Each structure stands twice: as C-alpha cells, then as structure tokens.
Amino acid sequence: MTPTGKLLLLSGLARRLLAAPSNHSLAAAGYSNSSSSNSSDVWSIGEGGVDDAGAASVSGRRGASSRRAGFAGYSAADVAAAAAASNTAGFRSLVVPGLTKEAAKPPLLRSRHPLTPRCGRMKPAHSSWPSVWPTARTFHPAAVPLPVRQGRPNNATENAGISPNKWGNTELIKVPNFLHLTPAHVAAHCAAIKHLCTPWPKALDEPGVIDKQLPLRVVTTDYLRSHHSIRDIRARRVDLSLCLDRLVKLDKRSLEKLLCLVSFSNFAKVDTQFVGSSRVRHLRMWSDRCPWRFQNYDYLIYALSALYSQSLRHESWESGKAWIDNQRYEFDGSSSQKKLAKLANKPATNAVTHYRNALIKLHRQPENGGTGETHDSLRQYGRAVEFLLGIGKGGGGGGGGPVKKLDASSAQQAGQTKRTTERQAAS
Amino acid sequence: RSIANWLLRRRQLSPFGACVNRRGGASAALLTDESAPERHSLDRHVGLLYRPEEADWQAVTRHFCRPELVRLFDTLGQRALMVRRPALEIGERLAGHAGDGRPCLRFVLYGRRGSGKSLQMGHVAAACRRRGWLLVTVHNAHLWMRHSRELHESAHRPGMFDTAGYGCIWLRHFYAMNQEILPGLRVTKELSWNAKESTPAGSSWKEVIDYALARPRYSCAAVQFLIDEIKLGSVPMPTLVCFEVANCLWWHRSGIKNDAIRRTPLQGEEPPWRADITAKQLTLLDAFKQLLDSDWNNGAAVMSVSPQGALFDRLREWMPRKLLGDEGFAYLDPFVPVYVEPYGPAEMSNMLNWYTESGWLTSEAAATDAGRAELAFLSDGNAGELLRIAGEW
C-alpha cells in the first residue's frame, strides 16, 4: 500500500472516527456533515488544480471507490487546518512540490502588459494626435496606440509564424514614419498659416490662362523608396518647357538659329504639336547632370538664357550658310530647282508650282508642314513630275492637264477614270 | 468561298471575257492568249497571266527572274507571268512620250522585297525589245559591289578601279540580249584603248565587244565607250536602261576594299581598317550611273530600289527616298516613282489557280477555300513569299 493509500485509509478511518463532530477542530474548521450529499467527492489526487474554489470545485464523481473514502474536496485552508489538526493529532501533511497548492507568489518578471492597452487609457486631453506627436520622431511603441507589426518570420515556429509586434521592433525604428504628417497635422499647419495666404486667382482657372501668365513650366519628381536609403537618384532631374511663341524679339532668322542650336544639344529639343490647324512649338529642356535639384534648375535657367541671347545675336560668318544647313527643306537653292533650268522644254509656271509643292511635301517632315515620305506624297510627286515633263496621261507635247486641285478638265477626268479603274482592279 | 464568289461575279462583269482562256470550273487560272507584252493593255489584261514567247524569255525576261522562279518554270515545264498594272503604266508612258529624240525619262520601281519589281521591269524590257529598242540591263550591281573580280586600277579613268571580270560578263550578256540590233550599230568616234591600239570610227559595236572580250583589261573601257555613244545619240533606235537595285550606286559601303587607303574604324571592327571602294570609284558602275542621268535623249531608264542595295546594313526600309538618300534622290530627280503593290484578291486567286493547275500546289488543303485563304494570309500578297510558301504546300 502506498503511503497515499495509507493516508486515505487513515483519513477514512479518521472520518468514521469523527463521525460525530463534537469538539473536533474539523467541525470547528467548518467541515460539515452534509458531506454525505457530496460524499461522492473525494479528494482525488491531481484534481483540484490551482484554482481555489475549494469545496465547490468538486468534480462530481459519485460512487466513491473503496480507496477513496467519501471526502469532500478540501481547500487549502482545510488542508492546512487539517494539518494543524493532525499535527496536533500527530499526523504530518504531505506536500508534493508542483501538486500541492501553494500560496500564490508574486511573479518574478514584470508582465509586459500589466495594464489594459493604451487606447483604453487615453484621456480626452491627449486625444489630439498632433499634440501627442507634434514633430518627426523615431517610432515609440508605447506612444503609438496602434497594433502595428513589422517583419516576416522565417518559418512557422519563429514567433508562432506571425510578424513580430511593435515592442522592441528595430525595423519599425529604422524606417521613417509619417506620423507627424497626418491629415490632422496638415489641417493644423494650414490653419496656422492661412492668414498669410491670398486666395487663388479665379481667372487662372480658365484653360490656357496659366500658360499665358506663367509660360515657364518646371517639372520635378519625388520618389518614394522602400529601401534602407529613402533617397532616389532620379529626383535630381528637372524638366523645363516653354512655348516658343512666348520668346519675344525672335524674328525668322533668330528662330532658325535657335532651332539650329537646339538641334546640336543633347538636352534640349523642340516639340511640334498641331492644335487644329495652327502649329504650337514647345522648347523642352531637361537636366540631371548636377547632383542636386536646385543646381539642375539653375543650370537650365542659365542654358535657356544663353540659348535665347545667342540666337538673337547674329555673327558675320553666319552669312556663309549653305542650302544644306537649312533646318527644313527649302526648294529655293536646291538641286531640283537648278535642274529645272536644264529641262529641254521650259515648263509652265503652274507645273513648276506643283512640282515645288510636291517636293516640299515629300521632303519636309510633319512638324515642318510636310508629310514626309508616304505613298500619297510619292504619288503626288510622280504626278507633278509627269506634268512637268509633259508625260502624263492627259499631257503630251506640253501644257498637259493639271494634276491636282485645279478646275475640271478632260485630263483630270481621264485621271479620275484611271483612278477608278485602279481601285476596281485593286479591290 | 468568298474568293470564288468574287471571282464568279467578276467574270460575269468583266470586260475582258474575250481574251480569257477558260478552262472550265470556277478555279481556272485566267490566262490571256496575248503573249506579246507590248500589246497588253490596262483595260483588258491586268491580272491575267500570259505565256512569254521563247525568244523573249531567253533573251530578256529570264534575266529579270530570280533563280527560284526559273527553276520553277523548268520544273513545271511551262511559264506564266502575270500582267500587272505598274509595268503597263510605265509601258504606256514610254510608248507615248519616250524615244524620238525626247529626253530620258526615269522611273523608279519600289516595293517590298519579293513584290515583283524585277519582273515588272522584265515586262517593260520585253515590250521595248519587241518594239525594236536597244536594251541596256544591269541585274547584279549590288553583287558587283560585294565581291571583286579582277580588280585593277583604271587606265581610262585615273583614280578609279576597273572590275574586268564583270565587264566581260556584262558585255556578253549585252550582246546576247541585243543580237539582232547590234550588227547595225556603228561607233562614231575613234576609241583609243591605249597609246598604241585603237578602234577606228565607223566600226561596228560587235567589233568593240569582241575586242574587249579578247582583252578583258579593257572591258570596262569598252562599256564606257558604248555608253558614251548612247549618250551622244548615235544609236538610231531608242534605248531602254534597266537597272535593278539602283540605290547601291549611292551607298557608302561595299565589300571591295582598297588596301592602299586606311579609314576610321567602325564600331567594334577589327583591323585592318581599309577603305571601301564604293560605286563612285568603280568605272563600270559609274558608267551605268551616267546613263541614269537626264542629259541624254532618245531613251528611258527604269530602275528599282531595294534594301538589298543597302550593303552591310540590314534595312527594313523600302521607300525610295530613304534608300536613295539625299544624293541619290537629287541625282535622279525628277523621276516618276512607281509602286509595285502586293497582290490584290483577283491577282492572288489567279496565281493560286495557276499554281494548282500547273501542279505546284500539291496538297489537298490548297484546293480548299480555307487553305487558299491561309496561303493568302501567310504570304500577305507578296509574290515571292507566295512562291516560297506554295512550294511547301
């Protein structure tokens, strides 16, 4: 028989012996004889746990075994009292470490969350976030009442597979935060300086007015970077654009010189757009050659000033400009014009005009008013040549029909029939 | 089905029912009995196939065809070429306005590779030959610039280079093409080959050619002399000049190197950096270039421009101004550009019919509408592509 069994037997015997509670300290300790009603319960080993519900924690096992005499569950006080009583009666109490309920000790380590979460403890006085976090500062987990997490566990066992929380999280400390620039902050800042501002001019809302009033357009870009360094090398680039019509005092020659100078540079170009039937030209420059943005801006302003002033200035040697130096194709001075003089039959004036227009359309690119080389422009050129040389379908021996856009004539009708048969054959 | 229906409707409405050789069935190839190219007309024969005559073929048209096409005709045992609009338009202009002392007209054919520029030139050349014109045709100028045969410094044009081998080859070709006309032609000036030897004025062109073939060193000089004669106007009949891949005449690169001259290296190039001998320095090509000028009478020039002439530069461009460049365009201006289009639906279906009839298209799928549509799509109307693709069906 185990000592425990002996104890139980002895306890059982003691109980029978103490059936009539008279002056027994057990009765004085509060042991009631109504244990028959809960005689089921037994002081079973391993039961009862740490909680100290005492008799109420009986687990309800009725029909006690022979080993277990029908004790009611003892509380710690009861055990102590029984020990005391048994000591006085001569019994020692058994204390099993880990099983015997001991008086609760204070924990060795201070708990991380001794209090309720901060959001439950915030007072109305601190409910304005800008006053809690007025300027940029390093992240502080206690001050920021948000349950943010940062980081990724390597596997499912590290930190139970979830991201680490904010307490002692160096990653949250390392990265910049924008808790000092919430909408509440921005509203407060704007309210603070509003008295220094003037209202937006309504007239500028109309389309085109801004371009007219403020012709120089500077574009800079800021970049967000999720990296150990938040800086981005592309942020130094500055783009500057300006409508060429806004540059005053530019006559035809100066404008040509400006276009020529721009064609030599590798950081400036002239864009041509067609708005309806009019041509709008923009001078676009960009710079990222300096390390800082304001340096690039200064450089562009300088380059623009230099370009403008040099194009206004005409040197004496510029008069030696040749036909090949033209920015766009010019018929006057071209070899085609010289060849006209060598033609056997002197061509008619309108034939020369058609030829000239066809050449201009063929050679000039769209931004200069031509169409470049397309099937249409080549066909127009061919017709103009046929008209010039007198070999068209309607022509022959000089003075043939017009090739395009002139009054209806037999040649043009013949040309039209030719075109229709062409379409039929091609369809 | 749509192509077949279209064809049926077209047949019922077409004005050239009389000249169509019906073989029965809706998928018969439309051939014309007119084998004389100069009698083809825009109203009646466009889109039809014709069989060139043997003499025309051997003398003229054969040279304008690609080797694949010549082999195809040998394989099939029959020849059929399509009559198309560009050749007829040029032929019309030539018939009306060229020759008879009029200044040289210039036409530039352009189009994608394989679209049929050379064959159109062949049609024009055959028509002019039947009219009795003198033909001066150059087919391989871009190949002459890639490899040199017997290159030596020129005596008759100091500072330039002769390619004697090509000169001889061309003279033989020229003689074979104009065999009927050449005996009647006489040289009007005395031709001095060197200090000692010369051919007197009044001798026939055949003598000049024979001399040059016997003395290959003077072949390029002979070519130059003959071209001078043409430009002087001593030839009684009109002259047609056909020059394939004319844009190589103004190209800055070539495959022939000049060992005596060093040049700046191109990017990534290994030494030795020798200068290229371009067409400007080759007497043979320069002589033909003179014929493309407009300062002579009683003739016409038909040229084609092709990315093949852009040596060592794989251009995807095929428009004339880009290929000729500023210099070439200024030289040829004013010329008439003629576009050689891809096949239209009628031409495509006719060509497919002929390939099927002649046995070039052997697969069963090629006879179905879906197969024909696929062939048309894969070749995208390009004649050369169709020829190659049809060879696999």
Side-chain angles (χ1 to χ4, degrees):
Chain A
M1 207 184 214
T2 61
T4 316
K6 283 181 191 164
L7 181 62
L8 280 171
L9 194 60
L10 284 168
S11 302
L13 286 169
R15 202 170 124 195
R16 285 193 208 103
L17 284 170
L18 301 168
S22 51
N23 288 329
H24 199 269
S25 56
L26 274 176
Y31 171 71
S32 65
N33 207 12
S34 59
S35 61
S36 54
S37 58
N38 41 4
S39 65
S40 58
D41 197 311
V42 207
W43 181 45
S44 58
I45 297 169
E47 231 180 23
V50 188
D51 51 4
D52 37 357
S57 73
V58 173
S59 65
R61 257 189 228 165
R62 301 204 158 248
S65 62
S66 59
R67 269 249 202 87
R68 298 171 181 180
F71 270 114
Y74 281 113
S75 64
D78 291 346
V79 168
S86 62
N87 276 339
T88 56
F91 290 117
R92 270 189 324 172
S93 62
L94 176 69
V95 173
V96 179
L99 290 178
T100 313
K101 285 187 206 167
E102 294 167 343
K105 290 186 205 163
L108 289 173
L109 295 172
R110 186 166 51 88
S111 167
R112 282 197 182 275
H113 307 284
L115 305 170
T116 54
R118 168 151 168 74
C119 53
R121 290 180 283 122
M122 281 166 67
K123 295 176 188 151
H126 296 301
S127 62
S128 162
W129 180 246
S131 57
V132 173
W133 198 281
T135 53
R137 61 177 279 216
T138 320
F139 184 85
H140 193 292
V144 178
L146 303 169
V148 295
R149 292 180 179 269
Q150 170 129 1
R152 186 173 66 89
N154 283 327
N155 46 47
T157 53
E158 183 181 328
N159 200 40
I162 54 176
S163 295
N165 58 20
K166 61 179 176 176
W167 296 101
N169 194 332
T170 49
E171 301 303 321
L172 274 171
I173 292 170
K174 282 194 287 187
V175 297
N177 63 70
F178 294 92
L179 295 161
H180 60 288
L181 289 176
T182 58
H185 284 93
V186 173
H189 299 330
C190 290
I193 60 175
K194 199 176 176 76
H195 68 278
L196 300 169
C197 301
T198 53
W200 176 257
K202 282 280 187 280
L204 285 180
D205 286 335
E206 288 160 41
V209 176
I210 284 192
D211 292 333
K212 213 170 158 196
Q213 298 292 330
L214 306 165
L216 204 65
R217 190 159 161 258
V218 178
V219 178
T220 56
T221 314
D222 292 298
Y223 294 85
L224 283 177
R225 203 154 170 237
S226 170
H227 204 253
H228 53 254
S229 164
I230 58 169
R231 306 192 185 284
D232 198 309
I233 198 174
R234 296 171 289 178
R236 66 176 61 161
R237 179 178 165 127
V238 178
D239 286 78
L240 189 131
S241 66
L242 170 73
C243 190
L244 269 190
D245 304 332
R246 304 306 308 277
L247 288 173
V248 294
K249 294 196 288 184
L250 272 189
D251 58 342
K252 187 164 173 285
R253 188 177 166 188
S254 301
L255 188 62
E256 272 195 29
K257 184 170 179 188
L258 187 140
L259 293 174
C260 181
L261 288 171
V262 165
S263 70
F264 289 135
S265 80
N266 57 351
F267 62 95
K269 66 177 178 183
V270 174
D271 270 347
T272 315
Q273 288 163 2
F274 287 95
V275 179
S277 60
S278 65
R279 180 175 62 170
V280 169
R281 281 191 286 204
H282 287 273
L283 173 66
R284 299 197 197 278
M285 310 167 75
W286 56 90
S287 170
D288 59 354
R289 58 179 70 200
C290 305
W292 290 334
R293 186 184 283 167
F294 76 89
Q295 293 172 336
N296 285 313
Y297 174 75
D298 286 345
Y299 174 73
L300 283 178
I301 296 295
Y302 156 73
L304 179 64
S305 317
L307 191 65
Y308 181 61
S309 56
Q310 286 303 310
S311 57
L312 286 178
R313 193 185 162 85
H314 297 149
E315 311 281 349
S316 57
W317 44 261
E318 284 179 30
S319 55
K321 184 178 151 185
W323 177 83
I324 203 165
D325 295 323
N326 285 330
Q327 284 302 301
R328 61 178 192 175
Y329 177 81
E330 298 286 346
F331 180 72
D332 303 319
S334 65
S335 61
S336 309
Q337 194 190 36
K338 289 174 193 150
K339 281 198 184 178
L340 287 180
K342 289 189 207 161
L343 283 181
N345 309 325
K346 191 169 177 324
T349 327
N350 59 347
V352 173
T353 314
H354 280 298
Y355 179 60
R356 174 180 172 278
N357 292 343
L359 273 174
I360 284 172
K361 192 172 167 190
L362 179 64
H363 280 106
R364 282 193 193 163
Q365 297 305 315
E367 58 258 17
N368 283 328
T371 52
E373 189 180 22
T374 60
H375 287 304
D376 278 335
S377 58
L378 282 169
R379 212 177 298 133
Q380 185 179 345
Y381 170 70
R383 285 199 291 258
V385 167
E386 286 173 1
F387 187 23
L388 188 80
L389 302 177
I391 58 172
K393 194 153 182 198
V403 293
K404 205 176 130 124
K405 280 186 193 166
L406 292 186
D407 303 335
S409 68
S410 61
Q412 201 190 10
Q413 283 170 10
Q416 275 174 355
T417 49
K418 180 181 93 154
R419 255 177 272 128
T420 46
T421 47
E422 197 177 319
R423 242 178 268 119
Q424 275 176 13
S427 63
Chain B
R1 186 170 301 271
S2 60
I3 294 176
N5 282 346
W6 187 93
L7 202 57
L8 206 56
R9 271 185 284 117
R10 188 104 167 87
R11 264 222 195 140
Q12 287 159 3
L13 298 170
S14 76
F16 39 82
C19 55
V20 170
N21 187 0
R22 292 178 198 273
R23 301 269 180 85
S27 63
L30 303 174
L31 276 97
T32 175
D33 293 325
E34 188 58 78
S35 65
E38 79 269 16
R39 287 204 286 272
H40 292 152
S41 74
L42 270 168
D43 305 325
R44 291 149 54 89
H45 298 102
V46 173
L48 301 181
L49 296 161
Y50 81 102
R51 296 192 193 285
E53 286 181 15
E54 191 63 27
D56 281 346
W57 171 258
Q58 290 297 339
V60 178
T61 324
R62 174 171 63 96
H63 302 287
F64 287 94
C65 294
R66 289 213 191 150
E68 296 106 44
L69 193 60
V70 177
R71 273 202 297 274
L72 172 71
F73 290 155
D74 289 340
T75 307
L76 299 175
Q78 50 172 320
R79 297 181 202 115
L81 297 170
M82 185 166 282
V83 182
R84 296 179 73 189
R85 173 163 294 275
L88 296 180
E89 284 184 351
I90 297 178
E92 216 174 321
R93 305 281 186 282
L94 293 182
H97 307 286
D100 298 340
R102 295 210 184 100
C104 170
L105 297 179
R106 282 143 339 151
F107 299 89
V108 173
L109 287 160
Y110 69 98
R112 294 189 185 269
R113 282 188 72 161
S115 56
K117 305 184 284 293
S118 299
L119 273 177
Q120 297 300 293
M121 269 206 287
H123 188 284
V124 173
C128 288
R129 183 173 173 273
R130 293 177 74 97
R131 288 192 196 112
W133 289 32
L134 181 73
L135 290 184
V136 177
T137 62
V138 179
H139 306 284
N140 296 326
H142 56 296
L143 296 174
W144 293 349
M145 281 176 69
R146 276 189 179 264
H147 316 283
S148 65
R149 285 184 72 155
E150 295 151 12
L151 187 82
H152 58 90
E153 285 176 5
S154 176
H156 65 103
R157 293 188 72 175
M160 296 176 75
F161 294 87
D162 278 353
T163 47
Y166 294 133
C168 286
I169 291 169
W170 186 83
L171 283 172
R172 262 197 287 269
H173 157 79
F174 176 67
Y175 183 75
M177 195 174 275
N178 297 294
Q179 266 178 351
E180 294 98 12
I181 303 173
L182 277 178
L185 294 177
R186 302 272 157 194
V187 173
T188 54
K189 290 195 316 185
E190 186 191 0
L191 313 172
S192 62
W193 305 108
N194 53 25
K196 295 176 194 162
E197 299 176 41
S198 66
T199 308
S203 43
S204 70
W205 281 32
K206 188 173 183 316
E207 288 174 21
V208 176
I209 293 173
D210 287 338
Y211 181 88
L213 291 177
R215 302 286 299 276
R217 159 201 279 275
Y218 299 117
S219 57
C220 294
V223 171
Q224 181 72 61
F225 289 145
L226 296 180
I227 285 170
D228 289 339
E229 291 291 318
I230 294 172
K231 290 189 80 162
L232 276 177
S234 72
V235 175
M237 65 281 295
T239 312
L240 179 72
V241 182
C242 289
F243 202 109
E244 288 186 38
V245 194
N247 51 314
C248 73
L249 292 175
W250 294 279
W251 195 244
H252 58 92
R253 297 286 316 274
S254 84
I256 311 175
K257 304 289 185 194
N258 189 354
D259 289 316
I261 298 177
R262 299 274 174 262
R263 61 170 166 78
T264 50
L266 301 172
Q267 186 172 7
E269 212 187 0
E270 301 281 332
W273 303 306
R274 297 168 288 164
D276 294 343
I277 297 178
T278 56
K280 293 190 189 68
Q281 292 172 293
L282 289 171
T283 52
L284 194 61
L285 289 175
D286 197 71
F288 292 118
K289 192 160 95 170
Q290 292 163 17
L291 266 186
L292 299 182
D293 207 349
S294 63
D295 57 356
W296 57 285
N297 293 336
N298 207 14
V302 180
M303 296 155 262
S304 76
V305 289
S306 166
Q308 276 182 314
L311 301 170
F312 306 107
D313 198 350
R314 290 189 197 161
L315 290 186
R316 292 193 177 277
E317 297 158 356
W318 45 275
M319 293 290 235
R321 193 173 151 257
K322 285 201 184 64
L323 286 173
L324 291 170
D326 290 336
E327 198 189 336
F329 192 94
Y331 189 91
L332 292 177
D333 187 42
F335 64 91
V336 180
V338 181
Y339 179 42
V340 180
E341 294 166 323
Y343 282 152
E347 291 175 325
M348 174 65 78
S349 81
N350 203 7
M351 210 66 214
L352 288 172
N353 290 342
W354 186 73
Y355 281 147
T356 315
E357 270 185 21
S358 59
W360 188 229
L361 281 170
T362 51
S363 118
E364 289 158 5
T368 62
D369 285 338
R372 289 162 66 96
E374 188 171 334
L375 278 168
F377 173 76
L378 287 173
S379 61
D380 197 24
N382 191 296
E385 278 298 312
L386 181 64
L387 173 63
R388 259 174 255 124
I389 292 167
E392 298 168 19
W393 277 53

